[in-house]
Amino acid sequence: MLKLRCVIERITFQNPENGYSVMKVKVKGYNDLVTLVGNLLEVPVGSVLLCEGDWKVDKRFGSQFVCQSWEEVMPATAYGIEKYLGSGLVKGIGPKFAQLIVKQFGLDTIEVIETDIQRLYEVPGIGKKRVEKIRESWEKQKDIKNVMLFLQGYGVSTAYAAKIYRQYGKESIDKVKENPYRLADDIWGIGFKTADGIANKMGYEKNDIRRCQSGIIYTLNQLANEGHVYAEEEQLVKAALNLLEAEEEPIRAALTNMIQTEEVKMEEEAIYLPPFYFAEVGTANRLLALVEGQEKELFIRPMDLQALSKETGVEYDEVQLQAIEEAIRSKVMVLTGGPGTGKTTTTQGVIAALKHMGMRILLAAPTGRAAKRMSEATGMEAKTIHRLLEFNPKDGYKRNDENPLEGDALIVDECSMIDIVLMNCLMKAVPCSMRVVFVGDIDQLPSVGAGNVLRDLIDSKKIPVIRLTRIFRQAQTSRIVMSAHAINQGRFPDISNGKETDFFFIQQEDAEKAAEDIVNLVKNRLPKAYSQKTSQIQVLTPMQRGVVGAANLNMALQNALNPSPTALNRGGYSFRQGDRVMQLRNNYDKEVFNGDLGYIESVDTEERTLMVNFEDRLVEYEASELDELTLAYATTIHKSQGSEYPIVVMPVLMTHYVMLQRNLIYTGITRAKKICVLIGSKKALSFAIRNMSVLKRNSKLKERLNPELAKKTATPSFISYAPENGSEVAAQAAEPAVSYAVKNVNSPTS
C-alpha cells in the first residue's frame, strides 16, 4: 500500500448513501490535479488528507488513486494552509482572507493565529471585529481539536466530528468510546453504517450485543421510513440478519433483552419503537373517546340547508348536503374526494354551517403551503399543525391534553399526509367537546412518515365517511382533472395534444433525450407559451436516481437556469444564489420542516453561510448544515404532497418501472393547477396505470379503532355519488357509483 498526501481541491461526485466519492486533489510533485476515489463522505474542500491505497488505471477515467484508509492532517505547505483556513472551519476567514493571511505569514500562519493573534492586524483589511471572531472560532477549534483527532483516528471526517462535538461537547470522546452506535440515534446525518464503521475500528465484534441492538433500532427506523408503524418479529429478525451479517442467536438475544427493558414494545407478533406504539394507541384511544362520547344535545338543532345555500350563494348537490349534515351531527367525520369533485366548496359549506351554529372554528393543514391554500380558499386563517399546537424546540407541543386547543370545531385538510406520530400529537390537543372534520384525497400517496392514517380511519368503519365522486361541469373542461380520474379508474387518459388542452403528453423513449427535453421545456418552451416565469414550473419525477431522477435533473436545470458563480459546495452539490431548494429534515430550531421550499437569497463565501427565504422568512445555514438542503428545481412526487404548482412537468419512463404506480402518477398529475406535461413512453404510463401494487404498510390503527376487523377483512365504507344520467363525460372519469344511505355511514347517531 502506498501513502499519498493531498489537498482536496473539488468534489466531482459523491454518493451520500455509501460515501463513495470522486475528488480532484493537489499532490506535491504533480503538475495536474490527481483523481482520488474512495469512501470519503463529508470531507470538505480544503482538507489535507494522508491517504493509504494504490494507483489503478480506469478504462474510462484514466489514472486514479484508490483510497483504502485516510486521516485528516494539519497542512504543511502555504497552499495547504490557505485551503484549510478558507474551507469555512474558522469563522471570519473565507478564501479571500485566507489568501491575504497566508501571503503575510506563509508557513508561520498557524503559529501566528495560535500564539500571537494580534499580528493579524498587519493584514490589510482585517479589523478588530474580524480578529475577535477569528480568535473566538480558533479557541473553539482548539477545544474540539482533541475530539477531532480522536475521531479522525476512527475514520470520522471533520464535518461529522463537528456535528458530534455540537451534540456532546467535551463529553464527545467518552460518549463515543462508551457506545459508538448511539451516534446513529443522536446525530442526524450519521447512519448506522457510519457508526458501525467506527465501532469496527474500535474492535467491536459482529455479534456484540450493542451492535445487534443498534442494528435492530436501525432496521425498525428503516421500516418506519418505508411507512411501517411496526415490524413483525420474523420480518425484523430477517432484516437485521441481512444488515448485520451476524449470527441469528445474538440478534434474537438482543431483541429479547430490548423487549424486557422496553427499548422496543411487543404486542403479539408486532414489534414497535416506543414512539410509534404510543402514537398508535394514543390516536385510537382519543378518536374512540370522541366518537363514543357524543354529546347528543348538541346535534338536535335542525339546520336549514336551503337558507345556508342562500347565505353562501352555492347550490349544494345531494352528497355535499349529506357532508354538511354529517359535520353538524358527528363529532368526527372524514370528507374525501379527488380533484374537481367539490371538496373545497363542501368544506366551505361545512364552515358556514358550523359558524351558523355559533361555533369557533380552527383550520389546519400538515404543511405551510397546504395551510396557505386553505386560507385562500376559506378566507380564514389556517395554520400548520405544528403552529396550531404551538410547537417550539425546547418545550415541544404546548397544546396537549393538559392544555387543549380552544374552539368548538377543527377542520384539517390534506390528511393523507399526516403520519401516526403527528396525528397523535394533534389528537392529544383535541378536547372532548370539540368536533373534527378530516379532509383529504384517499387516492393520493400515503404520508412520507410511518402509518396510513387517513386510509385506516376510513377502513375502520368507526367514523362516518363521505366520498365525493361527481365531477362538476366546470371541472370537466380540464383534461388534468379528467385524466387524473381516468388514471385512478385504471383507464388510459386522452393524450391527444391540442391548443386548448391543459394536459400534454410528449413521446420520448430515450432517458437522455427526455432529460434534455425537460430542460428545454422548463427554460424555453413553457415560459414562452404561457408567459410564466420558470419559478412557476415544477419538475416532478418518480425517483431520486437515474438520468431522469431528481438528482440529475436538478444539476441539469441548475446549470441551465442559474449558472451563477457565487456558490457554496457541499457533498458534490453546488448551492448558488437564486437556487430553489428544499429542506430535507424537520429542524425545529430553525422552524423549517421536511419538504419546505425556499430560495437562496444570498451566499457569503467568506463566512461560508447562506440565507434561504422560506415564504418571506429568512433562515441562515452554515456550510456544515447544507446536508439538510437539496436543490428543488426537480423533486420526487413523494416530496410534492400537499403542494400545487401552476405548471408541472413529469417524466414517465420505463427506467423508473420500480416506482411506476397508479397512485404515484395520480398524485403527480393532481399537483398541477394550470398545465401538466408528461414526457416519456405510452408503455411506461400504461404500466403505471395497471400497477396497483402499493406496499402494504404495517399498521394496527384500523383494528384498534374497530377490534372486530382483526377477525375479518375490512372494506372501506363510503358514501358515493353517481354521476348524472346522460353525462358521458362524467361517467368516463368518475369513480364507480357505490351508494350507501346516510344512515349506513357508521355514524354512532344513526
Side-chain angles (χ1 to χ4, degrees), residues 239-271:
L241 274 167
N242 285 340
L243 171 75
L244 297 167
E245 297 176 350
E247 292 167 16
E248 188 171 333
E249 190 182 331
I251 290 174
R252 290 193 182 275
L255 182 58
T256 303
N257 185 55
M258 291 168 84
I259 293 164
Q260 287 169 351
T261 58
E262 296 197 336
E263 285 179 80
V264 297
K265 300 288 289 186
M266 187 170 186
E267 189 178 83
E268 297 170 346
E269 283 293 298
I271 294 168

Side-chain angles (χ1 to χ4, degrees), residues 521-541:
L521 279 163
V522 175
K523 188 180 179 183
N524 302 312
R525 291 175 63 185
L526 289 167
K528 189 178 175 184
Y530 298 101
S531 304
Q532 291 277 1
K533 294 177 181 174
T534 56
S535 60
Q536 301 296 294
I537 306 168
Q538 183 62 53
V539 178
L540 301 178
T541 178

Side-chain angles (χ1 to χ4, degrees), residues 126-191:
I126 290 188
K128 190 176 177 183
K129 277 187 180 176
R130 189 170 297 276
V131 170
E132 282 307 307
K133 190 181 272 189
I134 295 168
R135 185 200 307 274
E136 196 180 301
S137 180
W138 191 261
E139 288 301 317
K140 194 178 174 186
Q141 288 295 321
K142 274 170 60 178
D143 280 349
I144 68 171
K145 194 173 179 182
N146 289 337
V147 174
M148 294 272 190
L149 289 172
F150 167 77
L151 291 167
Q152 283 167 17
Y154 296 105
V156 181
S157 71
T158 305
Y160 275 155
K163 281 190 172 186
I164 294 166
Y165 184 82
R166 269 206 298 270
Q167 179 74 24
Y168 302 133
K170 292 180 180 179
E171 294 180 343
S172 297
I173 293 174
D174 292 338
K175 295 273 190 190
V176 175
K177 275 183 177 174
E178 184 191 324
N179 181 6
Y181 291 104
R182 71 186 302 155
L183 297 173
D185 303 328
D186 295 346
I187 297 165
W188 191 82
I190 295 185

Side-chain angles (χ1 to χ4, degrees), residues 10 20 80 100 105 170 204 320 387 419 443 451 501 512 543 633 656 706:
R10 66 174 184 267
Y20 180 78
L100 289 169
F105 303 114
K170 292 180 180 179
Y204 278 63
Q320 288 177 315
R387 269 192 65 216
D419 61 42
D443 295 311
T501 186
E512 298 274 359
M543 290 181 77
Y633 297 98
H656 286 158
N706 187 353

